[in-house]
Amino acid sequence: MIPVNSVLQVGSFPEMMQAEVDQRLKAVRLTNPHDPVPAGTFEAILTRSSTPIPTALLQQIPGLKVIACCGVGYDNLPLDYLKEHGIQASTTPGVLNDAVCELGIGLMFALLRNLPAADQFVRSGQWPKAIFPIATTLAGKTVGIVGLGRIGQDLAKRLTPFGVQIAYFGPSQKDVPYAFFNSVSALAKACDILILTCPGGPETEKIINAEVLEALGSKGFLVNIARGSVVDEPALLSALSQKRIAGAALDVFENEPSPDAAFMKLDNVVLAPHIGSATSETRQAMTRLAIQNLEAFFRQQPLLTPIK
Ligand code: NAP
């Protein structure tokens, strides 16, 4: 049992996630993480990986011992502060792989076949008057995955039946039947479609830069389902507008929820509002796993899915 009012819920949760939380525990809510912390004795924070957790917030909760985060990215947590103060943290890995892979593949096809424009073409009555531009097929292409972790490996398995070659880049070579490249540029040069599934944070900041986009080339496509920070957006906008890459499908942006307005003017992009895990099944599983981590903590057991 989670003690009443021992958990501070930080950030706003979508309705169905909030209903799941309310069913399982009684938390005090702080919608804006920059507002003062309400009075109370909190041992735990429940939040989402999209909510930035400022150090100033944590400094107001001296008794804090654990943060349970719905989501797998932890680039919004002040990890140094947590380590220094012995605060544990958990995420919800694995349970969102299906939804994120499905979105990545959906975005990739939307991009290759220009589906948003095809939909508009039919709706606006252009079909009887013109021929819709010919697109490109996935089969026979090489797909490069940046970050072959849980999501990256599941994605590779799902893509293989489409008749593609898989290649990847990451900090370590893995025991997998895919070609390994030791730099992002080398991978970009070797592939037709580059899909990003690595973590955000300082180590991956802007690793997709002008040089990588140049290597991807004018027939290459970029799909970002990782984090906006991984891509140098001015370099991407320049490559897209000058058609130095063929197109990009983006679920994540440097500035969310207000991406650079220049993206809206391009006809070779497909844009989504950071919805990789946004299915009811997945969001429910994420919320449950985050709460199970809190339950484990209050039973004085190890967290189920700690950040290591
Ligand atoms: P994961 O299992 O930790 O996989 C991350 C992979 O990235 C690992 O294989 C890791 O390599 C690799 N990596 C680490 N640093 C790298 C670098 N500098 N360059 C290239 N690769 C690097 O995490 P996951 O569960 O697959 O999730 C991956 C990311 O997806 C999350 O961190 C999150 O940012 C993003 N995500 C987005 C959405 C969305 O809504 N769009 C939803 C969920 C997750 P090693 O294996 O060698 O450590």
Side-chain angles (χ1 to χ4, degrees):
M1 274 296 286
I2 299 178
V4 170
N5 293 345
S6 60
V7 177
L8 181 69
Q9 184 189 320
V10 181
S12 55
F13 280 45
E15 209 172 308
M16 55 97 28
M17 292 175 83
Q18 189 63 58
E20 187 74 31
V21 173
D22 293 344
Q23 237 179 37
R24 307 277 290 267
L25 66 136
K26 187 155 171 37
V28 174
R29 289 193 211 169
L30 177 68
T31 308
N32 182 345
H34 297 286
D35 282 350
V37 170
T41 314
F42 305 111
E43 282 188 84
I45 282 180
L46 175 64
T47 188
R48 299 174 62 210
S49 59
S50 53
T51 304
I53 300 294
T55 304
L57 165 72
L58 304 185
Q59 285 164 341
Q60 296 171 65
I61 316 175
L64 185 69
K65 297 200 178 69
V66 65
I67 299 181
C69 198
C70 295
V72 78
Y74 45 81
D75 42 315
N76 274 326
L77 294 178
L79 294 181
D80 289 345
Y81 182 94
L82 301 189
K83 203 171 170 191
E84 213 175 294
H85 292 81
I87 299 167
Q88 302 184 72
S90 64
T91 54
T92 60
V95 296
L96 39 63
N97 292 12
D98 290 343
V100 179
C101 290
E102 287 168 8
L103 184 84
I105 292 169
L107 282 176
M108 181 185 62
F109 278 120
L111 181 65
L112 294 185
R113 303 300 296 269
N114 210 356
L115 296 183
D119 178 88
Q120 272 310 308
F121 188 80
V122 177
R123 284 173 198 268
S124 63
Q126 292 175 72
W127 194 4
K129 301 173 216 155
I131 294 172
F132 189 72
I134 297 292
T136 191
T137 202
L138 175 64
K141 299 281 194 300
T142 297
V143 178
I145 298 178
V146 178
L148 200 70
R150 287 170 295 243
I151 295 172
Q153 293 196 32
D154 272 14
L155 188 64
K157 281 187 205 134
R158 285 165 161 83
L159 286 172
T160 303
F162 287 111
V164 297
Q165 297 294 318
I166 303 285
Y168 72 103
F169 163 76
S172 60
Q173 188 163 1
K174 297 180 184 300
D175 184 19
V176 290
Y178 313 126
F180 173 71
F181 286 81
N182 62 7
S183 80
V184 198
S185 285
L187 176 68
K189 199 166 176 52
C191 73
D192 304 288
I193 300 150
L194 194 62
I195 307 189
L196 313 182
T197 54
C198 57
E203 279 171 23
T204 55
E205 195 168 344
K206 298 188 185 359
I207 59 170
I208 306 303
N209 55 22
E211 182 198 328
V212 171
L213 297 168
E214 195 64 37
L216 187 58
S218 59
K219 291 188 175 166
F221 295 91
L222 176 74
V223 178
N224 189 3
I225 49 171
R227 284 290 182 266
S229 61
V230 177
V231 175
D232 179 341
E233 282 193 354
L236 176 61
L237 283 163
S238 160
L240 284 165
S241 60
Q242 294 171 22
K243 309 272 168 91
R244 284 186 278 109
I245 68 166
L250 308 169
D251 182 42
V252 285
F253 301 86
E254 204 173 314
N255 291 316
E256 298 180 9
S258 305
D260 193 319
F263 282 115
M264 322 303 163
K265 299 194 183 111
L266 296 170
D267 61 4
N268 51 352
V269 294
V270 176
L271 310 174
H274 199 153
I275 50 170
S277 66
T279 69
S280 54
E281 298 86 346
T282 296
R283 287 287 170 85
Q284 186 176 50
M286 288 162 66
T287 312
R288 285 190 178 164
L289 182 51
I291 294 170
Q292 283 164 359
N293 272 289
L294 290 179
E295 287 168 348
F297 166 78
F298 283 107
R299 278 199 306 267
Q300 296 180 344
Q301 289 173 351
L303 299 184
L304 304 182
T305 46
I307 297 174
K308 289 182 182 131

